[in-house]
Amino acid sequence: MSTTMCQVLGFLVSSLGVAGCMVATAMDMWSTQDLYDNPVTAVFQYQGLWRSCVRQSSGFTECRPYFTILGLPAMFQAVRALMIVGIVLGILGLLVCIFALKCIRIGTMEDSAKANMTLTSGIMFIIAGLCAITGVSVFANMLVTNFWMSTANMYQGMQNVQNRYTFGSALFVGWVAGGLALVGGIMMCLACRGLIPEESRYKAVSYNASGRNISYKTGPYKGYEPEMKTRKGPGYEEAPRSEDGRRSYPSKYDYV
């Protein structure tokens, strides 16, 4: 797969993922009323991140937004924050990715700059996908916990039993959208490697010899002289020579 094809596919998949995250966040069916024990009911309730709705058997639907965030659970607010952060990062990643596409030329932008922008957008998509998947998973965990608590209360014979809620369609949309954003981000990171110029990817150093045939000759050290040179002047007496031609110098015992 060529670099351009991988980059374009990553952009399209990430775009679908970000759009799915926005749709899932705006949907009202994050949790729906469980009708297992009561399939025939005149009122059907479902809730989202921003409002709760009631649908009657006549087809009339009434939705009421959450007017305050202080009465909501902390995990519920955390899910909101994760989805919003994922959407913001995804939109920023799309803007960066548009200018980083190899098929689009903007001025004299080099391939190395496009590679850095592609890597940045890929990391943004990966983080956005992880935020969406984490937010949906946390909400699903809340539903499972409340569902089993309501079931336990029902079997204990309590009179005031709250309605049980199960997974809504928004959870599945969020999981799929987060996965698409994650896959698109990985493809963008893979495309970044193909955009790096070869001369900057492999920096080889060549060593050339100064000559083919080089001979080194050793010689005496410059400071070494085979014969000691002395200055001759008035009052200088040359040491007497022995039979073999060597000079004999007086020792310290001769001055005693």
Side-chain angles (χ1 to χ4, degrees), residues 107-152:
T108 58
M109 184 179 295
E110 299 179 356
D111 291 339
S112 58
K114 285 183 174 292
N116 294 331
M117 295 175 66
T118 302
L119 180 61
T120 303
S121 62
I123 294 175
M124 287 183 177
F125 290 143
I126 291 175
I127 297 176
L130 292 177
C131 288
I133 294 174
T134 304
V136 175
S137 301
V138 169
F139 194 91
N141 183 49
M142 293 172 53
L143 287 179
V144 171
T145 303
N146 295 331
F147 183 87
W148 290 114
M149 289 180 62
S150 301
T151 303

Side-chain angles (χ1 to χ4, degrees), residues 35-253:
L35 301 179
Y36 179 77
D37 295 331
N38 189 14
V40 179
T41 179
V43 177
F44 177 71
Q45 300 179 6
Y46 55 94
Q47 298 177 355
L49 293 180
W50 313 103
R51 58 182 183 176
S52 59
C53 299
V54 176
R55 186 177 60 192
Q56 299 179 1
S57 59
S58 60
F60 178 76
T61 302
E62 181 181 1
C63 295
R64 181 178 181 182
Y66 303 123
F67 294 104
T68 178
I69 63 175
L70 299 179
L72 299 176
M75 300 300 293
F76 192 88
Q77 300 179 18
V79 173
R80 280 182 171 183
L82 286 172
M83 297 303 295
I84 292 175
V85 170
I87 292 174
V88 172
L89 288 177
I91 294 175
L92 292 178
L94 290 177
L95 294 178
V96 175
C97 185
I98 291 175
F99 295 102
L101 292 176
K102 191 175 181 181
C103 56
I104 298 178
R105 284 291 178 182
I106 301 176
T108 58
M109 184 179 295
E110 299 179 356
D111 291 339
S112 58
K114 285 183 174 292
N116 294 331
M117 295 175 66
T118 302
L119 180 61
T120 303
S121 62
I123 294 175
M124 287 183 177
F125 290 143
I126 291 175
I127 297 176
L130 292 177
C131 288
I133 294 174
T134 304
V136 175
S137 301
V138 169
F139 194 91
N141 183 49
M142 293 172 53
L143 287 179
V144 171
T145 303
N146 295 331
F147 183 87
W148 290 114
M149 289 180 62
S150 301
T151 303
N153 294 334
M154 184 183 301
Y155 286 129
Q156 290 177 1
M158 294 185 178
Q159 298 296 330
N160 297 328
V161 179
Q162 297 179 355
N163 294 328
R164 295 187 303 180
Y165 291 90
T166 184
F167 294 171
S169 57
L171 296 181
F172 302 100
V173 175
W175 273 319
V176 174
L180 290 176
L182 184 62
V183 173
I186 294 175
M187 295 179 66
M188 295 296 292
C189 293
L190 294 177
C192 169
R193 184 174 179 84
L195 293 175
I196 300 176
E198 295 183 358
E199 57 270 12
S200 61
R201 190 188 310 174
Y202 304 102
K203 296 182 179 179
V205 180
S206 60
Y207 298 92
N208 297 325
S210 57
R212 294 183 178 179
N213 299 324
I214 302 175
S215 60
Y216 299 92
K217 297 180 179 180
T218 59
Y221 183 68
K222 292 183 179 181
Y224 172 78
E225 295 182 359
E227 293 185 1
M228 183 181 296
K229 296 182 180 180
T230 57
R231 297 179 59 184
K232 296 181 180 181
Y236 173 79
E237 295 181 359
E238 187 178 3
R241 294 177 179 272
S242 60
E243 294 180 357
D244 56 356
R246 296 180 180 179
R247 295 174 181 175
S248 60
Y249 297 93
S251 61
K252 62 181 180 179
Y253 301 100

